[in-house]
Structures are given as C-alpha cells and as structure tokens.
Amino acid sequence: MDITTLTDAELDQHRLDVLNEMERRANLAAIPAQVTALAQTYTAAGGDPADLTAALG
C-alpha cells in the first residue's frame, strides 16, 4: 500500500485501523495473564474454580 496516495480521510481511517489492530493484539497478549490473576484471586477468596470454567465455556 502506497500511503502517499491516500486522501486525508483514507489516511486517517488507515491510522484508526492500525490503532485498533494494535489494541486487539495487545488485548490478546494481556488477557490470559489477567484471567489467571483473577482466577487466583477468586479461588483464594473461596470461589469454586468449576464456576470459572463454566463461565468461560
């Protein structure tokens, strides 16, 4: 893609698309660790891990 030929509107949309994709990738990388930490907190507080499995299912 030659971004030098894009209109300002097209370039801005491309910028937004790139930012959204970067955010999506960052979420995919971060969420498993967040889920693990939340699950540990949940079970440490007495929650049943089976409930979490059902919620993810």
Side-chain angles (χ1 to χ4, degrees), residues 26-47:
N27 284 336
L28 287 174
I31 287 172
Q34 293 170 349
V35 169
T36 299
L38 288 170
Q40 290 170 347
T41 301
Y42 182 79
T43 55

Side-chain angles (χ1 to χ4, degrees), residues 6-16:
L6 298 177
T7 65
D8 288 345
E10 291 169 334
L11 184 60
D12 191 48
Q13 183 60 55
H14 183 64
R15 181 185 65 81
L16 291 173

